[in-house]
Amino acid sequence: MADMGTVQSAGTPPAAAPDPSTNAPSGVPLGSRQLAALLPDLTGPAAGDRPAYRGLAQAIRALVLDGRISLRVKLPAERELATTLGLSRATVTAAYDLLRESGYARSRRGSGTWTVLPEGHRHTGLDRLSRPESAIDLSNAVGGLPADVLTDALAEIAPLMAQHANTPGYHPYGLPELRAAVADRYTRRGLRTRPDQILITSGALQALGLAVGMLCGPGDRVLVENPTYTNALDSIRRARLRTVPVAVSDDGWDMEIIEATLRQAVPRLAYMIPDFHNPTGNLMPPGQRAELIRATQRSSTWLVADETITDLAIDVPPPAPFASHAARGGADHVITIGSMSKSHWGGLRIGWLRATPRLVTELAGLRVSMDMAGSVIDQLVALPLLRRMDELVAARVVEARERRAALVAALVRDIPEWSWRLPPGGLSLWVDLGEPVATALAERAAGYGVRIEGGSRFGAEPGTFEHRLRLPFTLPGGTLDEAVQRVALALNDTAGRPLASAVSRPHWMA
């Protein structure tokens, strides 16, 4: 494998983050063939009587809002795109003019035309202040643990707790028996793993934070999926790193674009969620996993594979560990993170990281500077739960299948105009609202006692995915049914003001 470079010192003072200005393009330019592959048929029956230049402008705008074209990405030259699409150059010129007029593109002599969002449009997210007790919370895709399961685990570990009570209680790598249990599970799933390859962490997010803190320095590029897990994005941004987004659509990952981005942007690290991707629910095919491992190896990019949701396979067999798809000796740059939050309980702050023994040692040293070690009690509780993991996960999958069906039935009945693709696993639906009103709807739904997450929370770039909602199916079916009824009331509340689009819609886009 190529040299991954010098490990970043944890004591290096942070530098100022680069200013993500829209005054110039950045990132990987978009080729005309790549853009053409993303566009719908602009001349077929579906185009109707709409002028071709308006259809082209609207299609590009939709791709920007959906995150499939990143911000500040240079668009193809007008003549080149016209040739590829079989349109006149005047048509492409008029489309670019409309995009600039409405604030979705900028141009400068010598720099070409690149994508932006209209002035004043900012990522607002969802108000995370406390809600009334009666509110139904659909903002967290995490389930609970049956009380008897937790009670049994606590009773089982009581003697062990007494044994540990007279020790200092510091285990920077994690309890040896828990490291062995996690390693054994990887081995049984098809990836030979030794305990010295495992670092126990306080959740998967800490594992990501340690990897980012050790391997990256301020200003380094990190390849991320768009959309992706919002808390991971926050962690990467807090480290003052530059995100390089690659789109994950309803159809999954485009490996050609990912490989081109790796070649041209050469990111220091890539963060990916291949198993029941959060929030889209996509499952990366085995062939793409092997391609991604090889491509990141060629670009000397560390690859963090988030397998937090890997066990929640509803309609397909559970996927093999991501690193098992590497050729022999070709996975030293792959870091796998996981946790018990989704498969068991979010209140049990047990996560882990799998890497080479050397990197695990370095990361444990960084971890000591942050919190010394994890809770011994939590780790002891995790041991009997891991021994029962197959049984507990099987029950969780049955529950998820039933609750997914309840959410889908409620949506079909009360809000039939929304659309989605049924995910083969995971804990949520990635719903298309048909118009960019997610933030406004989330604010109105709060007044009806439902907390929901607008899609922009998951966008790697501000303002994208305003036409999407992530709707978890982790609550009981009756609660989900009630939540959908309330959201439908909020959506159809004609007594209040109409839902305001978070993005202005020019007259020619209507």
Side-chain angles (χ1 to χ4, degrees):
M1 172 181 170
D3 181 17
M4 300 305 296
T6 304
V7 172
Q8 175 72 22
S9 169
T12 303
D19 177 21
S21 170
T22 59
N23 290 331
S26 63
V28 180
L30 188 65
S32 61
R33 290 185 179 179
Q34 289 176 319
L35 178 54
L38 297 173
L39 293 171
D41 185 359
L42 300 172
T43 58
D49 297 328
R50 180 180 54 193
Y53 71 93
R54 291 193 178 185
L56 176 57
Q58 185 172 1
I60 294 175
R61 166 189 173 272
L63 291 170
V64 171
L65 289 175
D66 198 30
R68 300 186 69 185
I69 297 180
S70 300
L71 301 182
R72 299 180 303 283
V73 163
K74 186 177 178 181
L75 293 171
E78 295 169 4
R79 188 185 303 278
E80 176 190 352
L81 183 59
T83 300
T84 301
L85 297 178
L87 301 172
S88 69
R89 183 178 179 182
T91 296
V92 176
T93 299
Y96 281 15
D97 285 343
L98 281 175
L99 289 168
R100 284 188 289 267
E101 174 190 323
S102 59
Y104 289 90
R106 290 187 184 176
S107 299
R108 188 171 64 199
R109 186 181 299 275
S111 298
T113 300
W114 63 94
T115 56
V116 295
L117 283 175
E119 288 291 340
H121 184 71
R122 294 292 182 268
H123 175 274
T124 60
L126 182 68
D127 179 10
R128 291 182 171 269
L129 299 177
S130 60
R131 299 297 189 202
E133 290 292 329
S134 60
I136 299 174
D137 191 352
L138 293 182
S139 64
N140 292 313
V142 63
L145 191 67
D148 61 327
V149 172
L150 184 57
T151 301
D152 291 346
L154 287 169
E156 184 175 341
I157 68 164
L160 296 175
M161 290 171 60
Q163 294 174 20
H164 281 272
N166 292 321
T167 71
Y170 294 137
H171 299 273
Y173 292 91
L175 286 179
E177 52 266 51
L178 183 56
R179 298 177 74 196
V182 173
D184 179 65
R185 181 158 181 82
Y186 274 111
T187 299
R188 286 187 288 113
R189 292 177 55 220
L191 179 63
R192 294 182 86 182
T193 302
R194 303 189 308 272
D196 63 356
Q197 293 179 269
I198 300 297
L199 176 66
I200 303 299
T201 61
S202 298
L205 196 59
Q206 186 188 57
L208 174 62
L210 288 171
V212 166
M214 175 65 71
L215 302 174
C216 302
D220 281 349
R221 295 184 177 94
V222 175
L223 185 145
V224 296
E225 295 150 319
N226 195 24
T228 191
Y229 177 42
T230 179
N231 290 331
L233 277 176
D234 290 342
S235 179
I236 291 167
R237 288 163 177 158
R238 278 195 301 271
R240 300 185 180 183
L241 305 175
R242 293 183 288 173
T243 56
V244 181
V246 291
V248 179
S249 69
D250 286 337
D251 297 321
W253 294 261
D254 188 321
M255 283 306 304
E256 183 179 341
I257 290 179
I258 291 175
E259 291 182 6
T261 303
L262 287 168
R263 285 194 306 269
Q264 298 178 50
V266 195
R268 176 69 175 164
L269 183 143
Y271 169 72
M272 310 290 284
I273 312 174
D275 298 342
F276 315 120
H277 175 264
N278 186 4
T280 68
N282 286 324
L283 180 63
M284 184 179 285
Q288 287 192 345
R289 295 167 186 248
E291 290 178 42
L292 180 58
I293 291 173
R294 290 193 298 268
T296 49
Q297 186 179 34
R298 286 193 297 269
S299 63
S300 296
T301 298
W302 291 96
L303 174 56
V304 176
D306 187 338
E307 294 185 345
T308 305
I309 318 177
T310 189
D311 294 300
L312 299 173
I314 299 175
D315 299 327
V316 295
F322 183 86
S324 67
H325 295 274
R328 185 176 181 85
D332 284 355
H333 68 298
V334 178
I335 302 167
T336 305
I337 62 177
S339 84
M340 300 179 72
S341 295
K342 306 296 186 183
S343 58
H344 292 74
W345 180 39
L348 189 65
R349 303 309 303 150
I350 295 296
W352 52 81
L353 177 152
R354 181 194 183 277
T356 63
R358 176 181 175 181
L359 183 57
V360 165
T361 299
E362 293 171 338
L363 290 168
L366 176 59
R367 192 257 179 87
V368 167
S369 70
M370 300 169 64
D371 72 348
M372 293 294 291
S375 163
V376 170
I377 295 176
D378 283 8
Q379 293 180 72
L380 289 174
V381 170
L383 283 169
L385 296 180
L386 279 178
R387 284 195 292 270
R388 297 181 58 187
M389 190 164 185
D390 290 343
E391 167 200 345
L392 295 174
V393 165
R396 176 58 57 86
V397 167
V398 170
E399 177 185 81
R401 183 180 296 114
E402 294 172 349
R403 293 180 175 183
R404 185 187 64 177
L407 177 59
V408 167
L411 289 172
V412 169
R413 180 195 66 215
D414 292 332
I415 319 178
E417 62 269 28
W418 287 0
S419 62
W420 58 87
R421 287 204 177 179
L422 201 66
L427 292 170
S428 58
L429 298 181
W430 186 233
V431 178
D432 189 339
L433 311 183
E435 55 181 337
V437 295
T439 297
L441 177 58
E443 292 173 355
R444 184 182 289 182
Y448 284 79
V450 181
R451 183 177 175 183
I452 53 179
E453 286 278 27
S456 61
R457 281 285 300 158
F458 302 89
E461 297 168 315
T464 52
F465 303 108
E466 264 296 318
H467 63 301
R468 293 277 190 171
L469 286 180
R470 188 191 71 167
L471 294 180
F473 40 84
T474 52
L475 299 176
T479 306
L480 292 171
D481 190 86
E482 173 66 21
V484 172
Q485 289 184 52
R486 294 187 189 185
V487 172
L489 289 172
L491 185 67
N492 299 312
D493 183 1
T494 56
R497 292 182 299 174
L499 282 175
S501 168
V503 181
S504 59
R505 185 191 297 266
H507 64 86
W508 51 271
M509 294 287 191

